Amino acid sequence: MEFQYILLAPVVLLVGIVIYFLKSKLESKQNQQTQQVIRSEEKKIQCQDQLIPISIYFGSQQGTAARFAKQLSEEGKEHGFITTEIDLNEVEFENEMKKGKVGIFCMATHGEGDPTDNAKKFISWLQEPQPSIIGFQFAVFGLGNRQYEHYNKIGKLTNNLLESQKGVRCYQYGEGDANSTLEDDFIDWKKDLWNELKISLKDLIDQAKNCQVQQEVQENPESTNDNTNTGSTFKLVVSNNEELNFDQALQGQYDFQTKQFLKAKYCQVVSISQLRQNQKDGSTLQIIFDTGREGIEYKTAMNLGVYPENDDQQILEIANYLGENLDTVYSLELLQQNNRAKLPFPSPLNVRKILKHFVDFNGQLMKNTLTKLSKISSNDEQLKNKLIQLTTEEGKAGFQDLVDNMKTTIFQLIKENNIKLNLAQFIELCPRISPRLFTIASSNLKNPQYVEIADSLLIDTLPNGTEKLGLCSQYFLNIQKKLLEGECVRVRVDFRESSFKLPDDPNKSIIMVGPGTGIAPFIGFLQEREIFLQNQPQRQNEYILYFGCKHQDGDFIYKDQLREFERSKTIDRFYTAFSRDQEQKCYVQDLLKRNSEELYNQILNDKVVIYICGSTNMGNSVQNLIKEILRKNGNWTEHEAEEKIQSMEKQKLLIKELW
């Protein structure tokens, strides 16, 4: 036995020497790698000022301009620039312009030629002399809608103001039409952007020629969801931590729409009821919210933003397809160490909440999404080529059929083509959920605790005969069902300013033109006047209402309430047009035309404020009719009539909210 131990001793000693040698070699290699990383980081810091930073600023209301800015930021990195998308509401403009050398602006026009909420401060700042802009290199893409009178006003204004302040345009101005070809317009505008910038910014590029920065992503062995091939800023990591309360996440760096969602508040739904007499031609719901319980205050005719949630059955189907458990909790980790990097949602959250609140997989399919899907499907050459072909001019008809006729969603496309991807990639492909905006149909003076809105359900009939509901329409129907079953339902909402405000002058009469759900803000106006007349019966002005729909006994929403306003003389004159109740169609424009002489005299003497609410086609038609009345009744020239309309708009004597 002792002899065996003696024989084993040299072997043990030899093994120990080998282990020591291998360990020393491994530690030496790790130290070398650490030193390389340190030297790489030091080089990054030293070279940072020599690189070309391009800030992609966006003014966005519903999130499209923000998505375009993100797309430009991703493409810019692929072309060797340091690009970051930036919310204009988060910028200290003077410092930003001094610090930055190049800026690209994606600027949406909101409503009747207004800046978006997050761009108002910037546009105001830009209209004053700003020495910091001198020499600032810029490019602008405007997002607008040709149905509106002031098409792309803010994009054009931004471009002109930057140029007048002696900024230097480094790429051509472009704009897109949301009514038809917005994404195609954007693609056409940016097709030469990066090559042109490499030429126009050659001097800056030469300064950075000898300095290369490689962005390295450190892999996390615990990560089960990696989406580095989509140009993402984040990855998902399974977490054992407790889920985050939304209200605890206000201070983080989040996507534009996620920030809006987190700023919103929950309030309880009191009731959902049908406003139409029958539903042969559609459905319009009245939704009442209890905001007083949450201490939320509102003003008459403000806009209410409702954040819809995805359907539970769809969420389960998607989770199963992605191989996810709905109760798995994930945390987000940034892949890019950038103080302006944005996360898609707060974390930790479970899969159910991520898919319910933050992933719009029912939204309109975009060509940029197909491009990203083609990269994920790179192993399937046939599918990859099919997806790329749909983004080209040759594939335009096929893409339009996919979007306009079939109403194909992102998930449907993924499922039909059996595309394999993980949750992180799916989140990256889908936009965030945008709020649906409604003009409030109640007065805070009469009902300070309750807010009412009216929603005409969006229902598309597909070529196969099936019906597809819009996200918010499905959401409200799901809530209605829960309320009938006795459940308590809370909805996340926010309030936004509206251009609809009653005139300060009590002697001013008002004319309200609101067919269909365009009647909503005027319900609030009339409730307010009802209270005013109770306190001061002597009338100083007139309230005149024009309302229209298809059938008097079909889609005459708020019928009983409006007839009661008429009976009590809260409405002085009430004109109705039921377009399908007689052989010859009749619209609110026809009623206004019959009263053209009276309307002309009211406009001429500045005794009336005209409010128009409803579809853009109707609103533009009414405005053109007013110009025609001015020309015919007053023998005005086309130019004089147009100037009068512009003057009325500036003086808030003609106010429109159209969609």
Side-chain angles (χ1 to χ4, degrees):
M1 182 68 71
E2 290 178 359
F3 181 70
Q4 290 177 337
Y5 282 132
I6 291 169
L7 288 175
L8 284 172
V11 176
V12 172
L13 179 62
L14 180 61
V15 171
I17 292 170
V18 171
I19 292 172
Y20 176 79
F21 175 77
L22 290 174
K23 183 179 178 183
S24 299
K25 190 173 181 180
L26 180 61
E27 288 177 349
S28 175
K29 186 176 181 181
Q30 288 175 337
N31 287 334
Q32 288 176 5
Q33 290 176 337
T34 302
Q35 290 302 316
Q36 287 174 357
V37 171
I38 292 171
R39 285 195 294 271
S40 175
E41 291 301 318
E42 288 174 347
K43 187 177 180 183
K44 288 182 186 181
I45 294 168
Q46 292 167 0
C47 296
Q48 193 71 27
D49 292 337
Q50 299 176 47
L51 293 170
I52 304 171
I54 299 181
S55 298
I56 320 291
Y57 304 101
F58 62 86
S60 187
Q61 195 72 16
Q62 290 293 91
T64 306
R67 288 200 295 273
F68 281 4
K70 183 176 182 180
Q71 187 176 335
L72 289 176
S73 181
E74 291 170 354
E75 292 175 2
K77 291 180 178 66
E78 293 174 3
H79 285 268
F81 295 98
I82 300 177
T83 47
T84 310
E85 69 269 24
I86 301 174
D87 183 344
L88 279 171
N89 203 39
E90 298 179 347
V91 173
E92 293 183 10
F93 308 118
E94 189 166 348
N95 292 335
E96 187 76 22
M97 300 301 151
K98 285 180 180 177
K99 177 178 65 178
K101 296 176 181 177
V102 187
I104 300 174
F105 294 81
C106 295
M107 303 297 292
T109 298
H110 176 55
E112 297 301 314
D114 299 317
T116 58
D117 290 342
N118 76 314
K120 286 179 179 178
K121 288 192 296 184
F122 173 69
I123 293 298
S124 178
W125 177 83
L126 199 57
Q127 290 175 321
E128 300 293 329
Q130 303 297 344
S132 60
I133 296 176
I134 297 173
F136 182 79
Q137 301 197 58
F138 71 91
V140 178
F141 182 80
L143 295 82
N145 187 319
R146 288 192 185 277
Q147 286 190 304
Y148 288 85
E149 178 186 3
H150 302 287
Y151 172 65
N152 260 311
K153 178 180 176 181
I154 299 303
K156 293 170 183 172
L157 181 63
T158 302
N159 184 67
N160 294 337
L161 288 174
L162 286 168
E163 191 170 45
S164 67
Q165 299 261 25
K166 298 185 179 178
V168 179
R169 186 188 292 106
C170 58
Y171 189 67
Q172 64 188 358
Y173 169 74
E175 57 187 33
D177 179 13
N179 189 47
S180 58
T181 57
L182 180 59
E183 190 181 20
D184 286 338
D185 294 337
F186 180 59
I187 291 170
D188 288 342
W189 172 76
K190 69 182 178 68
K191 64 183 178 182
D192 297 320
L193 172 65
W194 304 110
N195 289 331
E196 288 287 333
L197 288 182
K198 288 173 184 177
I199 296 171
S200 61
L201 304 177
K202 186 176 182 302
D203 290 342
L204 294 175
I205 292 172
D206 288 343
Q207 295 173 19
K209 187 181 297 182
N210 298 320
C211 182
Q212 296 180 351
V213 172
Q214 296 181 359
Q215 297 179 349
E216 300 176 3
V217 177
Q218 299 295 323
E219 297 295 334
N220 187 329
E222 295 181 5
S223 174
T224 60
N225 272 281
D226 190 3
N227 55 339
T228 54
N229 66 330
T230 62
S232 176
T233 59
F234 71 92
K235 63 180 176 181
L236 294 174
V237 179
V238 175
S239 174
N240 294 320
N241 294 330
E242 187 177 345
E243 285 188 90
L244 189 71
N245 185 312
F246 291 147
D247 295 330
Q248 298 171 345
L250 294 176
Q251 302 304 316
Q253 295 291 325
Y254 301 110
D255 284 349
F256 175 72
Q257 292 293 12
T258 301
K259 282 190 301 183
Q260 305 304 312
F261 173 87
L262 294 173
K263 290 177 183 176
K265 301 292 183 183
Y266 278 114
C267 66
Q268 187 172 324
V269 181
V270 176
S271 65
I272 297 181
S273 56
Q274 182 60 236
L275 280 169
R276 298 192 183 205
Q277 289 74 41
N278 64 65
Q279 299 174 54
K280 292 179 182 177
D281 297 317
S283 175
T284 304
L285 300 178
Q286 179 190 44
I287 303 101
I288 302 177
F289 304 91
D290 184 350
T291 54
R293 183 176 302 188
E294 305 298 327
I296 302 173
E297 297 181 356
Y298 76 97
K299 296 178 183 177
T300 302
M302 285 183 80
N303 291 325
L304 181 75
V306 175
Y307 291 82
E309 298 174 1
N310 285 314
D311 181 70
D312 288 336
Q313 283 300 116
Q314 285 185 305
I315 290 170
L316 178 60
E317 182 184 4
I318 290 170
N320 289 338
Y321 184 88
L322 298 174
E324 291 287 346
N325 186 312
L326 290 175
D327 295 320
T328 300
V329 176
Y330 283 110
S331 288
L332 290 173
E333 287 188 3
L334 285 172
L335 293 175
Q336 299 175 7
Q337 296 306 313
N338 182 330
N339 62 355
R340 276 179 164 162
K342 302 294 191 291
L343 293 172
F345 51 83
S347 70
L349 283 182
N350 66 28
V351 173
R352 180 183 287 100
K353 288 180 181 176
I354 293 170
L355 293 176
K356 181 184 284 286
H357 298 290
F358 299 104
V359 185
D360 189 0
F361 45 75
N362 284 303
Q364 180 176 321
L365 203 60
M366 305 288 281
K367 290 183 178 179
N368 183 50
T369 309
L370 298 183
T371 301
K372 288 185 175 182
L373 273 175
S374 71
K375 294 177 182 178
I376 294 173
S377 310
S378 56
N379 293 331
D380 186 336
E381 199 66 27
Q382 185 177 356
L383 175 58
K384 176 184 173 182
N385 292 335
K386 172 188 170 183
L387 293 170
I388 292 174
Q389 198 267 344
L390 286 169
T391 68
T392 64
E393 187 64 29
E394 293 74 22
K396 190 173 183 177
F399 180 77
Q400 289 303 116
D401 181 63
L402 206 64
V403 173
D404 295 337
N405 297 329
M406 303 301 296
K407 308 293 182 186
T408 303
T409 66
I410 295 173
F411 179 62
Q412 285 174 331
L413 185 70
I414 290 170
K415 187 178 178 183
E416 288 168 8
N417 291 280
N418 196 29
I419 298 173
K420 302 302 180 185
L421 74 171
N422 58 42
L423 176 61
Q425 291 171 322
F426 187 67
I427 292 167
E428 184 66 30
L429 284 168
C430 298
R432 307 289 77 81
I433 295 176
S434 299
R436 276 44 175 183
L437 301 182
F438 302 90
T439 306
I440 292 173
S442 56
S443 166
N444 62 306
L445 297 183
K446 182 175 183 178
N447 298 306
Q449 180 156 340
Y450 299 105
V451 169
E452 299 179 26
I453 61 171
D455 179 34
S456 286
L457 298 187
L458 176 62
I459 306 173
D460 291 312
T461 302
L462 303 181
N464 62 6
T466 61
E467 290 185 339
K468 178 187 175 184
L469 273 79
L471 174 59
C472 201
S473 298
Q474 183 66 65
Y475 182 48
F476 283 146
L477 288 177
N478 289 345
I479 292 173
Q480 187 179 39
K481 182 179 178 181
K482 290 178 181 178
L483 292 175
L484 291 172
E485 292 171 351
E487 287 189 44
C488 176
V489 181
R490 298 169 76 230
V491 172
R492 206 160 179 93
V493 301
D494 62 20
F495 291 88
R496 310 190 180 198
E497 287 297 328
S498 163
S499 57
F500 275 17
K501 295 178 178 64
L502 286 169
D504 295 329
D505 183 355
N507 295 312
K508 278 272 194 296
S509 294
I510 69 170
I511 295 175
M512 301 165 282
V513 183
T517 53
I519 191 65
F522 307 133
I523 296 295
F525 280 5
L526 292 167
Q527 288 178 355
E528 206 147 295
R529 194 186 196 217
E530 186 178 43
I531 294 172
F532 178 81
L533 291 175
Q534 289 172 359
N535 298 325
Q536 189 175 333
Q538 186 176 357
R539 296 168 185 266
Q540 298 172 300
N541 55 7
E542 285 189 312
Y543 273 44
I544 303 166
L545 176 62
Y546 290 84
F547 172 78
C549 62
K550 290 182 180 179
H551 302 288
Q552 182 170 195
D553 294 318
D555 54 341
F556 189 171
I557 63 174
Y558 294 106
K559 180 178 181 179
D560 294 340
Q561 196 169 346
L562 288 170
R563 289 303 186 197
E564 178 57 29
F565 283 139
E566 183 182 33
R567 187 199 64 75
S568 65
K569 302 298 183 182
T570 304
I571 306 175
D572 293 285
R573 276 174 282 167
F574 184 22
Y575 300 103
T576 54
F578 305 110
S579 60
R580 305 296 196 274
D581 277 352
Q582 61 282 316
E583 187 175 340
Q584 186 173 356
K585 293 180 181 178
C586 179
Y587 300 102
V588 290
Q589 297 93 310
D590 300 306
L591 302 179
L592 284 161
K593 197 169 185 177
R594 292 175 196 169
N595 299 327
S596 60
E597 185 174 349
E598 176 189 52
L599 181 59
Y600 172 76
N601 290 325
Q602 288 174 316
I603 293 173
L604 189 65
N605 297 314
D606 290 336
K607 289 183 177 180
V608 67
V609 179
I610 302 174
Y611 298 88
I612 307 171
C613 187
S615 73
T616 49
N617 286 334
M618 179 279 302
N620 292 335
S621 178
V622 169
Q623 181 164 309
N624 289 333
L625 175 63
I626 293 172
K627 283 194 282 188
E628 181 185 336
I629 289 171
L630 291 174
R631 290 198 308 272
K632 288 188 176 181
N633 289 64
N635 294 318
W636 294 28
T637 65
E638 176 76 26
H639 178 69
E640 288 172 335
E642 182 61 40
E643 279 194 331
K644 180 61 178 178
I645 291 291
Q646 292 178 7
S647 173
M648 290 174 67
E649 288 181 324
K650 286 180 181 178
Q651 296 178 65
K652 304 297 183 186
L653 298 176
L654 175 61
I655 305 172
K656 298 171 289 182
E657 279 208 356
L658 309 175
W659 56 83

